[in-house]
Amino acid sequence: DSGVTQTPKHLITATGQRVTLRCSPRSGDLSVYWYQQSLDQGLQFLIQYYNGEERAKGNILERFSAQQFPDLHSELNLSSLELGDSALYFCASSVSQSASGELFFGEGSRLTVL
Amino acid sequence: QQQVKQSPQSLIVQKGGISIINCAYENTAFDYFPWYQQFPGKGPALLIAIRPDVSEKKEGRFTISFNKSAKQFSLHIMDSQPGDSATYFCAASSWSWGKFQFGAGTQVVVTP
């Protein structure tokens, strides 16, 4: 158990809908990372937050947004969903803001868009 | 643009054999190179990591070899066991860059 909690574990929705994925980092970790894992694309970095502030941005679509709350949990919002958004979404946390230490991953949220 | 290229995509090795996975990177600012192991239905977990000031790091049956001039690093799994069957990801990052770049992953199957 990594200590990172993601909910929901599975989500099935229709195209055009909006969903919110939630992540609670390990106790004491200030950084939260979001990754998208598709079958043929590996782990794609979406965005990182550190202590409530956006720290780094990857290939995150404009239809996607995220935030980190004062209690350090994070939410990833996906809107106007398309079939291609079906993927496993991982949250990871680390203690520091710099990307030079261990990332602890949750078990992911599997999104299926029909 | 994939900044970390990983190969092979998959490999099958017999129990007791050696598994070798290679990664190449482009950004010379990278200064941290971890390998993550992922089992089906689970998130990736750190296996072993290296920094560019050393050329090799060994932890049990797992060894990272690092070639700074060639911008390549590899994972060697010695005496492979069926329990090693998993997907392995290399990654690279820079403390100042703020994000980890992962390779595409290698699915390793160890046959009994």
Side-chain angles (χ1 to χ4, degrees), chain A residues 31-35 44-49 55-60 94 96-101 103, chain B residues 1 3-4 27 29-32 34 91-102:
Chain A
S31 273
V32 169
Y33 298 75
W34 284 99
Y35 283 86
Q44 298 294 314
F45 171 70
L46 296 178
I47 198 163
Q48 181 209 359
Y49 281 84
R55 173 78 169 90
K57 213 166 186 176
N59 300 322
I60 187 166
S94 69
S96 70
Q97 65 173 317
S98 68
S100 61
L103 290 184
Chain B
Q1 180 190 8
Q3 296 201 39
V4 179
N27 190 338
F30 288 147
D31 58 9
Y32 178 66
S93 70
S94 164
W95 73 271
S96 62
W97 193 39
K99 49 188 172 181
F100 288 76
Q101 195 75 38
F102 282 84

Side-chain angles (χ1 to χ4, degrees), chain B residues 7-72:
Chain B
S7 63
Q9 189 173 5
S10 63
L11 69 92
I12 300 173
V13 62
Q14 283 192 327
K15 180 181 176 181
I18 301 174
S19 304
I20 301 175
I21 307 169
N22 300 300
C23 282
Y25 63 97
E26 298 173 0
N27 190 338
T28 55
F30 288 147
D31 58 9
Y32 178 66
F33 303 90
W35 285 90
Y36 280 78
Q37 179 188 54
Q38 183 181 25
F39 293 106
K42 300 293 185 181
L46 181 65
L47 185 64
I48 186 173
I50 197 169
R51 297 192 187 273
D53 52 346
V54 296
S55 60
E56 185 175 281
K57 183 174 181 180
K58 184 176 181 179
E59 289 185 3
R61 296 184 292 105
F62 300 91
T63 299
I64 298 179
S65 297
F66 184 80
N67 186 327
K68 188 174 181 179
S69 61
K71 294 189 286 185
Q72 296 175 346

Side-chain angles (χ1 to χ4, degrees), chain A residues 12 18 44 48 53 60 62-63 72 104 111 113:
Chain A
I12 302 174
R18 183 179 188 274
Q44 298 294 314
Q48 181 209 359
E53 300 288 330
I60 187 166
E62 285 191 9
R63 300 182 287 108
L72 301 178
F104 295 87
L111 173 66
V113 182

Side-chain angles (χ1 to χ4, degrees), chain A residues 14-33:
Chain A
T15 56
Q17 295 299 304
R18 183 179 188 274
V19 298
T20 297
L21 310 179
R22 181 188 170 101
C23 169
S24 293
R26 283 191 330 154
S27 177
D29 284 358
L30 298 178
S31 273
V32 169
Y33 298 75

